Amino acid sequence: MRRIPCRESSALNRTAGCGRVCAGSGSISGLRLRRDRPVRARRGARIWRLPVQRRISAESVTEGHPDKLADRISDAVLDAILAHDPDARVAAETLLTTGLALVAGEIRCSGYVDLQRIVRDTVREVGYVDASFGFDADYSSVLIAINEQSADIALGVDKALDSTSGHRFDRIGAGDQGLMFGYATDETDALMPLPITLAHRLTQRLADVRKDGTLPYLRPDGKAQVTVLYDGDAPIRLDTVVVSAQHADGVDMETLHRDVVRLVVEPVVPDGMVTDATRFYINPTGRFVLGGPQADAGLTGRKIIVDTYGGAAPHGGGAFSGKDPTKVDRSASYYARYIAKNVVAAGLARRCQVQLAYAIGVAQPVGVYVDAFGTSRLSDETLSRIVWEVFDARPASIIEQLDLQRPIYVPTSSYGHFGRDGFPWEETDRVEQLRAEANHQG
């Protein structure tokens, strides 16, 4: 990370040393910022022009944060069950507090899964291995309160209202009503907003230096927040970095501040994004010894903005972790991201937001809406028609296309569900279809 003088002027985006990061300049995977280029919009479209300067923030938390640990346990339960029975129905919720983990919910599956062992193994993997933490893998109590999935809900999921059509994708109905959003932007290689991408990199790095012994005094809990200064819609520099890292008692705060900046922030932030005006707040309360479930109760699904786009896009309100893919809260949110990412990757828009909406027990979505924020040559109505032609958002189709009936969910429980390699909803394999359909409709 190279610190440069701050030159915030009217020529900011054109001045050498302005603090912007251009393609190939000190970038790391997923964090290359796009070059400035004019908005290419259809004639008469609303062009996305923003105030000259604005500050956009996003936060992330480590896998040892109590809410994220609860998410991880719920997804570990889900993965273990799917490994035995891919057709299982799972809705697992976890509550954590001092000395106690409670797993509750509704499950329908064949075979037996040792939930007690799964909970304790997951807690151990994250790093809660000492009873002095107030919560640990070996001595905390684990309570299981699982019921069978409601027969009334199963009725609509197992046999959709549309199943009379005879089409195999009309067999499964949506597991609930609701609306889901997907989003993509070309400001990073991962087609994700820069603030949430940086925040996730910081918290993941915070966990890495704890686990590999680089900073042995760190403990599992931690948070990071970044505020990025934008000029229009182009990220310029980091305005503020906040990191709160749980630590052992007796650690000198000057040492912690120096170590976090040098070993956590600097390896993550691209060159040119930090200037003399960038503010750092490292453990601003001055002490963070008590953490994890001992300090704050943890609950599945309480970090839904951290899980998605950091506030850059709306959220339908449904959490992801602990839910099998018949729950469209999860699978349709993944699919909406898949659609939006492919639209941007195809060059049909620089920003894209997709909304899907469902009725419980019905296979076909009741609504599909695309918003390109004026960054496309095509109208939003045309983009919506293109998406409808290219993508099939029925739950059974989503599950098959993305191969979701597999134990792949534990890695999603921390550091974001989107913008990371290895997940099927991050593939850009519909680009050519979208371009062909755009040529046909355009």
Side-chain angles (χ1 to χ4, degrees), residues 176-251:
D176 201 353
Q177 71 176 44
L179 51 149
M180 300 83 206
F181 292 90
Y183 181 75
T185 174
D186 68 351
E187 68 184 48
T188 66
D189 278 348
L191 303 186
M192 284 287 287
L194 180 63
I196 189 63
T197 303
L198 281 174
H200 284 321
R201 294 296 177 87
L202 287 170
T203 51
Q204 188 155 25
R205 178 67 180 168
L206 199 60
D208 289 344
V209 297
R210 171 180 61 88
K211 290 179 173 180
D212 65 18
T214 301
L215 296 179
Y217 57 78
L218 292 183
R219 297 293 180 258
D221 200 353
K223 308 177 76 170
Q225 180 176 293
V226 299
T227 299
V228 177
L229 181 67
Y230 282 73
D231 185 24
D233 63 348
I236 301 167
R237 66 169 180 86
L238 270 176
D239 182 80
T240 307
V241 177
V242 183
V243 177
S244 294
Q246 186 188 11
H247 58 86
D249 200 4
V251 174

Side-chain angles (χ1 to χ4, degrees), residues 171-405:
R171 178 177 57 86
I172 295 177
D176 201 353
Q177 71 176 44
L179 51 149
M180 300 83 206
F181 292 90
Y183 181 75
T185 174
D186 68 351
E187 68 184 48
T188 66
D189 278 348
L191 303 186
M192 284 287 287
L194 180 63
I196 189 63
T197 303
L198 281 174
H200 284 321
R201 294 296 177 87
L202 287 170
T203 51
Q204 188 155 25
R205 178 67 180 168
L206 199 60
D208 289 344
V209 297
R210 171 180 61 88
K211 290 179 173 180
D212 65 18
T214 301
L215 296 179
Y217 57 78
L218 292 183
R219 297 293 180 258
D221 200 353
K223 308 177 76 170
Q225 180 176 293
V226 299
T227 299
V228 177
L229 181 67
Y230 282 73
D231 185 24
D233 63 348
I236 301 167
R237 66 169 180 86
L238 270 176
D239 182 80
T240 307
V241 177
V242 183
V243 177
S244 294
Q246 186 188 11
H247 58 86
D249 200 4
V251 174
D252 177 69
M253 287 299 102
E254 289 186 9
T255 299
L256 186 143
H257 187 286
R258 181 179 63 250
D259 286 349
V260 168
V261 171
R262 181 173 61 91
L263 298 172
V264 176
V265 178
E266 289 185 1
V268 166
V269 177
D271 285 346
M273 287 297 288
V274 172
T275 73
D276 292 339
T278 301
R279 296 171 294 176
F280 291 90
Y281 295 103
I282 311 299
N283 282 32
T285 67
R287 178 181 169 87
F288 187 7
V289 174
L290 293 179
Q294 182 185 24
D296 291 288
L299 190 64
T300 300
R302 211 157 54 180
K303 286 290 178 286
I304 57 176
I305 300 303
V306 170
D307 284 340
T308 52
Y309 308 100
H315 196 294
F320 302 159
S321 291
K323 295 179 180 178
D324 75 81
T326 65
K327 278 71 170 174
V328 286
D329 280 340
R330 182 170 217 160
S331 55
S333 293
Y334 290 172
Y335 202 64
R337 161 66 178 172
Y338 178 58
I339 295 170
K341 186 173 183 180
N342 275 270
V343 167
V344 173
L348 302 188
R350 283 176 43 205
R351 296 176 64 204
C352 180
Q353 180 177 290
V354 175
Q355 183 197 76
L356 302 174
Y358 294 84
I360 187 170
V362 179
Q364 285 284 359
V366 298
V368 177
Y369 174 66
V370 179
D371 188 348
F373 304 97
T375 67
S376 174
R377 290 183 178 277
L378 305 169
S379 68
D380 291 342
E381 293 77 11
T382 301
L383 284 173
S384 296
R385 287 198 302 271
I386 292 169
V387 164
W388 186 265
E389 289 296 324
V390 173
F391 296 93
D392 186 344
R394 288 174 289 183
S397 178
I398 294 173
I399 290 169
E400 181 174 297
Q401 290 175 66
L402 302 183
D403 194 12
L404 295 179
Q405 289 180 305

